[in-house]
Amino acid sequence: MAIPYKNSRTLCFFLILSFGLCLVITSAELERFEHPTKEDGSLSFLVLGDWGRRGAFNQSQVAFQMGKIGEKLDIDFVVSTGDNFYDNGLASEHDTAFEESFTKIYTAKSLQKQWYSVLGNHDYRGDAEAQLSPLLRKIDSRWICLRSFIVNAELAEIFFVDTSPLVNKYFTNTEDHTYDWRGITSRKDYIATLLKDVEFALKKSSAKWKIVVGHHAIRSVGHHGDTEELIKQLLPILQANDVDFYMNGHDHCLEHISDIESPIQFLTSGAGSKAWRGDIKGLNKEGLNFFYDGQGFMSVQLNPTDAEIAFYDVFGKVLHRSHSSKQLHPSI
């Protein structure tokens, strides 16, 4: 339930005690969900993208391994990087694909946690408003999908950004696809407001770890390659505000690329079902640490001083690990 910030403290406390979740809306800011860390102050979650195919293309196998890793890591929630339902999003909020591609697939006990999701370009090809509808939460209470929002997990703040409206080709060269832009009356104003809100929220954040999630890659050597619009408009904001990780889907692969101009790590997890074997663009391999063109997912483990990222294949095998450290008390 969305509740005004000025009246939210008591109810928020109740919701956290009861469900471990609270949504706060503040005027002129992105909607914010409060999600507590574990008792020891740590946080762990899985990241998955480009998945919803009613179990096909190894979606069910990836889901099974997610359940096992989720139990092992005692995850707090799941992040979806978009393209949640193929090929053309949901037809309506009553579309059976929601349950057939989500509820009936991710059945493991460890995955019965909150799922925080953004929209991908394929989601915009259907009824984009359907995925944002509160009705879906009544069908499956795990589901939370907004255009852009923030999850404040105390130790980390995760900023979810609606990247599809920034990509020019969805407006200039639609390739016979129809996109649902009903919630975006003026693209120019929408983008300007979104970037301003993201910049404001990042500047305001005092979280130990700052994570930004969007559907489209900023950097990728996969099929779609780098997203020039994000490099031009979003990346400078991330670099100026001490963002640690940018996580995305869109390319159906697993990737880890280091920014050459800042500490930002670009992490692609878009291999939740159909993968693109051998489809490697590789136009810009600067900072490339890892690339895998098969199905899989990613895990994130955080504490006040360390971050551990791991990529898994469809068999649950660890393909790549990355470790980042921070001082507990930064020097002045």
Side-chain angles (χ1 to χ4, degrees):
M1 177 188 296
I3 48 180
Y5 180 69
K6 63 181 180 181
N7 297 323
S8 67
R9 290 187 178 181
T10 301
L11 183 53
C12 180
F13 181 69
F14 169 77
L15 288 172
I16 289 175
L17 286 179
S18 301
F19 307 108
L21 173 69
C22 177
L23 168 62
V24 176
I25 297 179
T26 55
S27 60
E29 295 182 19
L30 298 175
E31 294 184 18
R32 179 182 297 267
F33 292 83
E34 305 293 332
H35 200 124
T37 58
K38 297 181 177 67
E39 290 185 1
D40 64 0
S42 66
L43 186 73
S44 60
F45 58 95
L46 302 182
V47 183
L48 178 75
D50 304 79
W51 42 271
R53 298 181 186 272
R54 292 180 167 88
F57 293 98
N58 284 340
Q59 183 194 0
S60 294
Q61 287 84 344
V62 172
F64 177 74
Q65 295 300 335
M66 286 175 63
K68 293 175 65 176
I69 300 300
E71 181 179 6
K72 180 180 179 180
L73 301 183
D74 187 21
I75 60 169
D76 298 284
F77 51 83
V78 178
V79 166
S80 172
T81 59
D83 277 4
N84 306 312
F85 302 98
Y86 282 95
D87 277 328
N88 297 308
L90 295 179
S92 73
E93 58 190 10
H94 303 289
D95 193 334
T96 58
F98 177 71
E99 292 181 85
E100 292 168 358
S101 290
F102 177 59
T103 303
K104 296 179 180 179
I105 301 298
Y106 303 101
T107 57
K109 182 178 180 181
S110 67
L111 303 182
Q112 306 309 302
K113 306 290 178 69
Q114 216 68 57
W115 283 56
Y116 297 109
S117 307
V118 290
L119 297 173
N121 55 298
H122 280 267
D123 300 312
Y124 269 109
R125 293 180 188 175
D127 182 348
E129 301 289 333
Q131 291 194 47
L132 312 179
S133 172
L135 178 61
L136 296 190
R137 298 182 200 172
K138 294 181 180 179
I139 298 172
D140 194 320
S141 61
R142 294 177 292 173
W143 184 255
I144 291 181
C145 182
L146 290 82
R147 296 185 194 276
S148 299
F149 61 102
I150 300 170
V151 173
N152 176 23
E154 302 173 19
L155 175 66
E157 276 195 294
I158 309 175
F159 306 82
F160 292 77
V161 180
D162 184 20
T163 59
S164 292
L166 279 78
V167 180
N168 293 328
K169 69 179 181 180
Y170 302 142
F171 297 85
T172 61
N173 183 21
T174 59
E175 298 179 346
D176 296 326
H177 297 300
T178 300
Y179 291 88
D180 180 9
W181 301 124
R182 282 176 296 167
I184 304 171
T185 54
S186 167
R187 183 189 177 210
K188 181 179 179 181
D189 291 345
Y190 181 86
I191 292 173
T193 299
L194 173 59
L195 294 175
K196 181 179 178 181
D197 288 347
V198 170
E199 183 174 23
F200 176 79
L202 286 170
K203 286 183 182 296
K204 184 179 177 182
S205 175
S206 59
K208 192 70 177 179
W209 300 97
K210 294 183 184 181
I211 301 170
V212 176
V213 174
H215 177 62
H216 296 79
I218 293 178
R219 288 286 324 284
S220 174
V221 299
H223 173 79
H224 294 104
D226 298 347
T227 307
E228 294 301 326
E229 295 91 340
L230 299 189
I231 290 175
K232 181 180 179 181
Q233 299 180 75
L234 181 60
L235 180 56
I237 295 173
L238 309 191
Q239 291 172 330
N241 288 283
D242 302 317
V243 169
D244 299 289
F245 305 107
Y246 178 80
M247 302 177 181
N248 62 274
H250 197 46
D251 271 336
H252 295 190
C253 61
L254 303 173
E255 290 181 273
H256 174 202
I257 299 175
S258 299
D259 189 19
I260 61 173
E261 297 179 3
S262 77
I264 299 173
Q265 305 300 305
F266 301 113
L267 306 169
T268 296
S269 183
S273 58
K274 187 176 183 179
W276 297 328
R277 281 287 189 185
D279 194 345
I280 304 171
K281 212 160 209 170
L283 297 178
N284 180 4
K285 294 185 178 180
E286 286 186 315
L288 179 63
N289 301 298
F290 165 73
F291 175 85
Y292 177 67
D293 57 354
Q295 292 116 337
F297 59 99
M298 182 175 80
S299 69
V300 181
Q301 295 175 272
L302 303 173
N303 65 44
T305 59
D306 298 283
E308 179 89 8
I309 309 294
F311 292 89
Y312 306 84
D313 68 10
V314 70
F315 303 107
K317 177 184 176 182
V318 176
L319 302 173
H320 174 73
R321 289 189 187 274
S322 174
H323 183 265
S324 301
S325 296
K326 289 191 174 187
Q327 292 179 309
L328 187 58
H329 302 290
S331 58
I332 299 175

